[in-house]
Amino acid sequence: MKPSVSSFLSKHNFVNHVDIYSVANAILDDMRKGLRKEKSDQDMIRTFCNPPEASAKGKSVIVIDAGGTNFRSCLVTFDANGLPQISEMEKTKMPGVEKELSRKDFFAQIADNLEHLKNKADRIGFCFSYPMEIKENGDGVLLGFSKEVKAPEVVGCEVGKCLKEALAERGWNTIKRITLCNDTVAALLAGAACASDADRYSSYIGFILGTGMNAAYIQPDCDCCKINKQIIVCESGKFLSVNRSDFDIEFDKTTVKPGTFFLEKLCSGAYLGPVSLIALKAAARDGLFAAETAKSIEGIESLSLIEMDKFLHGPFNADCILGAIACKASCEDVDTIFQILDAIVERSARYSAAILIACAIQTGEGKNASEPVCILCDGTTFFKTWRIKERVYGYLDTILTNQLGIYWNIVSCDNDITLGAAISGLID
């Protein structure tokens, strides 16, 4: 890194090369406090379920995937051999993203989105990607929204119960069960379901790095925590003991819930672009660019992760905001922009690796190379953002395998969240 960029980041308390193992241990300590029901940042939500031992056969389930900016719904049918078929998929906007909704309007909008699936199954697997307390009957009590969803009256509600009521008002037949799950649980279940007969995994982790960020893992029996083996949702994004730069603090003030979700705001796709723009404008004010480049950067009104990522993949791509500026700037200025953005991406990769390391350690598995921990990752931020995936792989190899002797395998599968949510909807 150029001395000018390094000095600039240090001045603004930005640390991109955090010690991953130290962060992982801090996250792990917080996880264990949450499991013991002591005060912790992460919620450590018990789900009372594990991956099923056998695949579903001859059954259908309505699936909802609500999270980030999109709301997806479809029908999943498992044939006589347990192979899933997805049909009648529709995608629309997540309720509460564009404007604030009341509780009644929030569930009414969900019911409207499901009209094309009316009475086509009597079970619903609802992947609701927000902090919830899961009840033993499969319902979930919303603890709070993230990702800038605005529907405060929904907080504290039993989501499945409220949705049942909204569907009944529209003449639906009786829904036997609505099972709420987090997207990380869906990812974990999909990882278990997609494993071939030739694979043998000792445990499973689900990890999401997209619009938001979170992880789930299988907690073994633990007498001191009074918990039986089950999937645990960490709500990793709520972890607070992280280093925040001036840019992060400034951006946090503009969010719907300032002072919360510190780790998510350092890593996930909803925040990387806006934080990067704040950093670039600070660099412009601090004199890191020539006058014309600084003026162009100061004139940018907003910066999304997509635009940021376009620049990193092709700095002189004139079809993106920063690329157009780069085409008229000096090589020195272009390199400064690149290094600042790359530092923000590097930080995301390191914190993501720390979460996965903490979860892998807590499973207590992965001790044999032939039976690794299966990690199913999902999210465009993880797979498509500049070098995040490659960096996470490298850090896991260095720390988990070489340093700790824990073996792992990152997998992916098509329609993973949909498949996992369908499986959750059929678990009694």
Side-chain angles (χ1 to χ4, degrees):
M1 184 177 288
K2 295 190 298 186
S4 60
V5 176
S6 180
S7 175
F8 163 72
L9 294 177
S10 178
K11 172 186 173 182
H12 291 280
N13 198 35
F14 185 99
V15 180
N16 61 319
H17 288 97
V18 295
D19 184 276
I20 298 170
Y21 190 37
S22 294
V23 173
N25 277 319
I27 292 172
L28 187 61
D29 180 62
D30 187 72
M31 289 167 62
R32 290 170 175 169
K33 288 179 180 177
L35 289 172
R36 295 193 298 267
K37 298 189 178 297
E38 299 173 5
K39 183 176 175 57
S40 63
D41 297 337
Q42 298 167 94
D43 294 322
M44 304 307 291
I45 299 166
R46 306 183 184 204
T47 66
F48 307 101
C49 75
N50 287 289
E53 295 182 2
S55 60
K57 296 179 180 179
K59 295 180 180 180
S60 294
V61 58
I62 293 169
V63 169
I64 305 170
D65 178 9
T69 57
N70 294 318
F71 181 100
R72 297 178 179 86
S73 55
C74 66
L75 185 71
V76 177
T77 301
F78 294 87
D79 66 17
N81 296 315
L83 297 176
Q85 180 179 357
I86 300 171
S87 62
E88 304 194 52
M89 173 70 78
E90 287 192 4
K91 182 174 79 170
T92 185
K93 287 283 188 180
M94 176 66 195
V97 169
E98 295 181 338
K99 65 177 183 178
E100 183 171 316
L101 298 176
S102 67
R103 180 175 69 176
K104 182 177 180 180
D105 288 342
F106 181 83
F107 287 104
Q109 193 166 325
I110 291 179
D112 289 343
N113 291 344
L114 297 178
E115 189 64 26
H116 66 294
L117 298 169
K118 185 174 181 179
N119 298 332
K120 294 188 176 180
D122 58 9
R123 286 173 174 261
I124 297 176
F126 193 164
C127 180
F128 195 61
S129 304
Y130 305 94
M132 295 179 291
E133 177 188 348
I134 299 297
K135 301 170 69 71
E136 292 195 46
N137 66 359
D139 207 340
V141 178
L142 179 66
L143 301 177
F145 278 115
S146 59
K147 308 169 195 173
E148 310 305 289
V149 173
K150 300 172 283 293
E153 290 182 9
V154 181
V155 176
C157 294
E158 293 183 27
V159 176
K161 179 181 178 182
C162 290
L163 178 56
K164 275 186 181 181
E165 292 171 353
L167 295 177
E169 288 180 0
R170 285 162 173 74
W172 280 56
N173 295 337
T174 301
I175 296 293
K176 289 183 179 178
R177 182 181 174 100
I178 298 179
T179 303
L180 274 291
C181 73
N182 187 276
D183 51 0
T184 54
V185 174
L188 187 155
L189 291 172
C194 292
S196 71
D197 293 338
D199 297 317
R200 182 172 294 179
Y201 293 113
S202 52
S203 193
Y204 297 91
I205 293 171
F207 178 67
I208 307 294
L209 184 62
T211 303
M213 183 197 65
N214 199 7
Y217 72 99
I218 298 179
Q219 169 66 39
D221 292 336
C222 180
D223 291 337
C224 66
C225 297
K226 298 179 180 178
I227 185 170
N228 296 324
K229 181 179 178 181
Q230 61 184 277
I231 300 170
I232 298 290
V233 177
C234 302
E235 292 303 334
S236 307
K238 298 178 77 171
F239 186 63
L240 299 177
S241 298
V242 293
N243 179 82
R244 294 198 303 154
S245 69
D246 296 343
F247 322 132
D248 302 302
I249 293 170
E250 181 180 341
F251 173 69
D252 180 53
K253 294 175 182 177
T254 71
T255 61
V256 172
K257 288 190 172 183
T260 63
F261 290 90
F262 285 177
L263 183 50
E264 181 171 283
K265 290 173 183 175
L266 299 187
C267 298
S268 67
Y271 309 108
L272 292 180
V275 170
S276 295
L277 182 57
I278 291 171
L280 290 177
K281 289 190 174 185
R285 293 191 296 270
D286 285 4
L288 269 70
F289 303 114
E292 194 60 34
T293 304
K295 182 179 178 181
S296 296
I297 289 173
E298 288 282 14
I300 300 173
E301 294 185 1
S302 63
L303 184 69
S304 67
L305 174 59
I306 292 173
E307 286 290 327
M308 169 189 173
D309 194 49
K310 278 183 182 179
F311 173 82
L312 288 170
H313 277 95
F316 298 96
N317 177 2
D319 291 334
C320 70
I321 296 170
L322 293 174
I325 293 173
C327 289
K328 299 177 183 178
S330 68
C331 291
E332 185 76 12
D333 282 354
V334 176
D335 199 48
T336 297
I337 295 172
F338 191 98
Q339 289 196 17
I340 290 172
L341 299 187
D342 187 62
I344 290 171
V345 171
E346 166 74 17
R347 184 179 69 172
S348 175
R350 284 177 172 258
Y351 277 115
S352 297
I355 293 168
L356 291 174
I357 290 165
C359 288
I361 292 172
Q362 190 62 17
T363 68
E365 299 291 352
K367 298 173 183 177
N368 298 323
S370 59
E371 298 181 79
V373 175
C374 175
I375 304 172
L376 191 141
C377 292
D378 181 85
T380 54
T381 304
F382 181 84
F383 284 105
K384 294 186 178 181
T385 302
W386 169 255
R387 296 189 66 191
I388 282 186
K389 178 183 70 173
E390 294 82 358
R391 285 167 165 161
V392 170
Y393 274 60
Y395 299 142
L396 294 185
D397 195 47
T398 298
I399 298 173
L400 265 186
T401 303
N402 297 340
Q403 186 174 336
L404 301 176
I406 297 174
Y407 296 92
W408 54 277
N409 186 28
I410 288 182
V411 303
S412 61
C413 72
D414 294 337
N415 302 306
D416 49 8
I417 303 303
T418 300
L419 174 60
I423 293 169
S424 76
L426 296 172
I427 296 175
D428 288 319

